[in-house]
Amino acid sequence: MNSLKKNILPFLFVFLTMTSITQWSSFPIGNTFTDWTLFLTIMLTFLFQNKYWYDKSNKDNLWALKIYLFWVIICFIRGVFVAEFYWDFKNLINGGFALLMVYSVYTFTNPILVQLVFRKWLQIAFPLFILFILVVDIDAYGFYLIPISFLALFLPIINSKWKLIIVSVSLFVIIASVEARTNVIKFSVPILFSFLFYFRKMLVPKLLAKIQLFVFILPFVLLFLAATGIFNIFKMDEYISTKSNTVRVNSQGMEEDLLGDSRTFLFQEVILSAIKNDYVLFGRTLARGNDSASFGAGAAEELRTFRYERYDNEVGILNVFTWTGIVGVILYFFIFFKAARLAIVYSNSYFLKILGIYVSFRWLTSWIEDFNRFDIMNLFIWIVVGICYSKQFRKMSDQDFKIWMNGIFKRNNKKHSFISYKIPSNTTSLNGK
């Protein structure tokens, strides 16, 4: 494989990082045409470069991903017949790119490629942030710098220089955008998770597997409790008595309560819309959104669709539900669940087990945040999921991960010893997963 073929994906991700913060930029970074061109180029690169990067030994564990992609394509095709206006077709294409991004998991099962992606990002995109900080709102910091949060998961094996840089950047994002709750969570949690490594003798795989199961079931339990009026986690201000002032001024100069409920009404609108229009099971297709009294006026009056709908919401799982129905949500669940279980139970390195817990956490956050868009934030999620599905990654020991991680910060001339490691002997009864 020549140098161009080998390096094109990492460079495309650098461009994607820049276009991902367009909505917060005072300087035009791209438009619909350039964005779609970039998205299509990345997707085609995934498709045609799989022969170089994808190891077919991983195929047995990717059944949920295959079925999910097949279902997304069906929902896309249905959307072609459902779409009526220009905006419907535009939404269909954007939604298609966002959901089909899952296909990248195949490519991200390759340790060498993932290492190259992060190395190029640190070499090019990371220094350029100094320029972008001058033209973007603080809400964009967390999006642009999301790869740093991944590196924070490996703090125990990162050299002192980069450890200081990663922690400093994470604190910078947290402090700069403290009113953006998701940025605070996504940069503080990886640092906290990295400390699990020091408690590995206590937090054994069996315990981590139980924690994983609890985290995956938790959203359904909380949804039931909220629907029955027993307990609503989004209304914490009703359950917590605090003397501190939780109201902050956001980057737009507007007051925002950090404990305020900004999610309950979204769940209500999405679920009631699905029941009313009878698309609970199979979704409304990728061309349509949910009925929305809160946000629908923009589409109905300004875009003149005459439909009070909101195409996508801040809560990722609500978009998956609206576009692909309960069928899509179940398949989405299994993609994350299988990835986390493989990493926690069928891996040599404790860092893979930490990644399994992190994937469980990202499943949980998809019920709170995570816009479904083709951007660096969502691509980052699928990189982590791809690592968990990869037999090559799961064969690596902690020492192999240290060598691999050092190769991100500087070119590593050592042999990639992780390819010779075997799956732990206690998992052989499970068909070499």
Side-chain angles (χ1 to χ4, degrees):
M1 179 168 38
N2 61 41
S3 179
L4 177 62
K5 289 181 179 180
K6 181 179 180 180
N7 288 280
I8 187 170
L9 268 175
F11 281 112
L12 290 174
F13 296 156
V14 170
F15 288 121
L16 183 64
T17 302
M18 299 173 187
T19 62
S20 296
I21 58 173
T22 300
Q23 68 183 91
W24 296 285
S25 176
S26 59
F27 181 82
I29 299 175
N31 53 44
T32 299
F33 175 76
T34 57
D35 286 347
W36 284 0
T37 300
L38 176 61
F39 301 164
L40 182 61
T41 302
I42 292 175
M43 289 301 299
L44 290 176
T45 305
F46 284 140
L47 181 64
F48 292 112
Q49 284 203 350
N50 264 352
K51 61 182 179 180
Y52 300 120
W53 299 116
Y54 174 58
D55 186 342
K56 292 183 179 179
S57 65
N58 293 299
K59 66 179 181 180
D60 293 339
N61 291 316
L62 293 171
W63 58 268
L65 187 141
K66 293 177 183 177
I67 299 174
Y68 175 78
L69 287 170
F70 179 72
W71 179 241
V72 168
I73 292 173
I74 290 178
C75 292
F76 182 92
I77 295 173
R78 287 169 51 214
V80 174
F81 297 98
V82 168
E84 300 176 12
F85 309 104
Y86 161 79
W87 293 106
D88 291 344
F89 286 102
K90 184 175 181 179
N91 291 335
L92 175 68
I93 295 174
N94 281 327
F97 277 127
L99 296 193
L100 290 173
M101 182 186 278
V102 180
Y103 183 77
S104 64
V105 169
Y106 287 95
T107 303
F108 294 135
T109 56
N110 189 294
I112 298 174
L113 175 66
V114 176
Q115 184 186 71
L116 186 61
V117 165
F118 279 97
R119 185 193 303 155
K120 291 299 180 184
W121 188 91
L122 285 176
Q123 290 175 346
I124 303 174
F126 188 42
L128 287 177
F129 177 69
I130 297 176
L131 298 179
F132 283 98
I133 200 173
L134 302 174
V135 296
V136 299
D137 296 334
I138 57 178
D139 291 344
Y141 297 173
F143 269 77
Y144 191 103
L145 296 170
I146 192 64
I148 294 295
S149 70
F150 169 80
L151 299 176
L153 291 164
F154 301 89
L155 285 177
I157 54 173
I158 292 176
N159 64 61
S160 299
K161 171 190 171 183
W162 276 103
K163 189 177 298 184
L164 177 61
I165 292 173
I166 291 167
V167 172
S168 299
V169 170
S170 298
L171 291 176
F172 167 73
V173 173
I174 293 170
I175 295 172
S177 54
V178 67
E179 76 281 352
R181 290 170 288 189
T182 54
N183 278 345
V184 173
I185 293 172
K186 289 174 182 176
F187 279 81
S188 60
V189 168
I191 294 177
L192 295 176
F193 279 4
S194 71
F195 283 96
L196 295 178
F197 181 76
Y198 299 109
F199 300 93
R200 59 190 181 279
K201 292 184 179 180
M202 180 174 61
L203 296 172
V204 296
K206 286 185 178 180
L207 178 58
L208 293 180
K210 291 179 180 179
I211 294 173
Q212 179 226 347
L213 183 60
F214 171 78
V215 172
F216 272 85
I217 295 176
L218 183 60
F220 299 107
V221 174
L222 292 176
L223 180 62
F224 173 79
L225 293 176
T228 54
I230 298 174
F231 172 74
N232 187 341
I233 194 172
F234 294 126
K235 295 183 180 293
M236 294 305 296
D237 55 332
E238 296 181 3
Y239 309 107
I240 299 177
S241 177
T242 176
K243 296 181 181 179
S244 61
N245 184 8
T246 59
V247 176
R248 297 288 187 272
V249 178
N250 62 25
S251 59
Q252 284 76 43
M254 300 175 63
E255 289 189 347
E256 182 178 354
D257 189 349
L258 300 183
L259 289 180
D261 178 12
S262 60
R263 293 295 182 264
T264 298
F265 78 99
L266 294 179
F267 277 84
Q268 291 173 339
E269 286 191 339
V270 168
I271 294 173
L272 291 175
S273 174
I275 295 172
K276 175 184 176 182
N277 297 286
D278 194 25
Y279 60 83
V280 174
L281 189 59
F282 301 122
R284 209 172 193 178
T285 81
L286 278 68
R288 298 287 297 275
N290 62 278
D291 296 350
S292 175
S294 304
F295 300 98
E301 300 168 12
E302 296 178 20
L303 302 181
R304 300 188 65 80
T305 64
F306 306 105
R307 295 194 308 242
Y308 284 77
E309 290 181 12
R310 190 184 192 197
Y311 180 68
D312 58 359
N313 290 278
E314 296 87 343
V315 182
I317 202 68
L318 293 183
N319 298 324
V320 175
F321 171 70
T322 297
W323 301 337
T324 65
I326 289 180
V327 172
V329 171
I330 292 173
L331 293 171
Y332 198 72
F333 167 89
F334 278 111
I335 290 173
F336 279 82
F337 186 86
K338 184 71 172 179
R341 182 51 59 103
L342 287 171
I344 292 171
V345 180
Y346 306 104
S347 64
N348 279 320
S349 172
Y350 201 83
F351 288 103
L352 247 298
K353 303 181 194 305
I354 293 175
L355 284 184
I357 294 296
Y358 181 77
V359 168
S360 305
F361 162 73
R362 291 312 298 261
W363 158 256
L364 187 61
T365 60
S366 71
W367 290 73
I368 304 171
E369 186 67 19
D370 291 340
F371 262 112
N372 300 88
R373 293 175 179 170
F374 200 106
D375 57 24
I376 192 64
M377 182 74 77
N378 284 282
L379 188 69
F380 163 75
I381 296 173
W382 300 122
I383 289 177
V384 179
V385 170
I387 291 173
C388 293
Y389 273 109
S390 170
K391 279 189 176 182
Q392 288 178 287
F393 271 111
R394 288 185 285 113
K395 290 176 182 178
M396 292 164 62
S397 67
D398 290 336
Q399 181 61 29
D400 289 324
F401 256 105
K402 185 174 183 179
I403 296 172
W404 180 82
M405 184 58 59
N406 287 337
I408 289 177
F409 303 114
K410 59 182 178 180
R411 184 173 296 278
N412 187 6
N413 294 320
K414 294 184 178 181
K415 296 288 184 180
H416 296 283
S417 60
F418 51 78
I419 62 174
S420 63
Y421 276 75
K422 298 180 179 180
I423 294 294
S425 58
N426 63 345
T427 65
T428 55
S429 61
L430 297 166
N431 299 319
K433 296 189 178 202

